[in-house]
Amino acid sequence: MSEPTAAFRKELVALLPRLRRFAAALVGSRDGAEDLLQTAIEKAMRNAGTFETGRRLDSWVYKIMQNTWLDSRRAEAKRLTGEGETLDPPYEDGRNIIEARDDLRQASTAFARLPGDQRAVLTLVVLDGLSYKEAAEALNVPIGTVMSRLGRARASIAASLRQGARLDSVWERRNGE
């Protein structure tokens, strides 16, 4: 086993924010995401000698992370609900804070209810900006699978948000707002 090069370590460190976001999308909780990230980084460092020069490091580490997550899910033999912590973005005080947090909660809940494969694709394409081809390579699936999972994920989130908006308007009518 060879020691990772300085360039490898530097590129891996640069990927940490994207990897953290991907881990959060897979796991659905902050603590679980940090555990997954740490385990995936350890595996990447341990197996740095097997990384093929010329290959995309992000795709390689995404695959390590996804396999680690799938292995842990199989070991636990239960599905995570995703009702974990959310990060509160900074907003001004008042009604805007409450509405923004509610919107974030609704979007976060809709995202967490997606199947893991759809969350992974949505994170890679929408949040990380990978092309369909790059996401397909990272997840080791055909590009058509990426496209269909992304379409289903977007449709599911949109439907959840529309349903939430309908419930809000019913509440407002009942309460005379």
Side-chain angles (χ1 to χ4, degrees):
M1 176 186 339
S2 64
E3 192 67 25
T5 65
F8 178 90
R9 289 191 306 266
K10 185 177 180 180
E11 191 174 349
L12 192 58
V13 167
L15 287 174
L16 285 176
R18 291 173 55 200
L19 295 170
R20 183 170 282 115
R21 216 174 17 247
F22 185 62
L26 290 174
V27 176
S29 74
R30 189 183 331 192
D31 292 339
E34 288 298 321
D35 291 345
L36 176 60
L37 176 65
Q38 181 178 348
T39 302
I41 294 299
E42 287 174 4
K43 286 182 179 183
M45 295 293 286
R46 222 179 11 251
N47 295 303
T50 65
F51 178 70
E52 300 168 12
T53 306
R55 186 173 177 198
R56 290 180 53 122
L57 182 61
D58 59 350
S59 295
W60 186 67
V61 181
Y62 282 139
K63 191 64 183 167
I64 290 172
M65 187 174 291
Q66 183 184 32
N67 287 340
T68 302
W69 174 70
L70 289 171
D71 290 346
S72 70
R73 281 183 48 122
R74 288 182 192 115
E76 293 173 16
K78 66 179 181 180
R79 182 158 185 185
L80 296 174
T81 63
E83 298 292 329
E85 304 171 44
T86 59
L87 301 175
D88 291 333
Y91 290 101
E92 298 174 8
D93 287 337
R95 185 176 179 135
N96 291 342
I97 290 176
I98 294 168
E99 289 174 355
R101 284 186 178 166
D102 189 49
D103 291 346
L104 181 61
R105 181 194 52 76
Q106 287 178 7
S108 179
T109 299
F111 180 79
R113 287 183 179 152
L114 292 173
D117 56 353
Q118 291 179 19
R119 285 195 316 258
V121 169
L122 194 65
T123 299
L124 292 177
V125 174
V126 175
L127 298 179
D128 285 343
L130 267 60
S131 70
Y132 292 174
K133 180 180 178 190
E134 292 167 336
E137 290 171 1
L139 299 172
N140 198 28
V141 297
I143 195 168
T145 301
V146 167
M147 293 167 61
S148 65
R149 286 178 183 173
L150 186 60
R152 286 193 305 270
R154 286 177 171 159
S156 179
I157 288 176
S160 292
L161 295 178
R162 279 192 304 272
Q163 180 180 1
R166 282 194 303 270
L167 293 174
D168 288 345
S169 67
V170 167
W171 173 261
E172 289 170 2
R173 280 190 303 247
R174 283 186 182 166
N175 293 302
E177 294 179 19

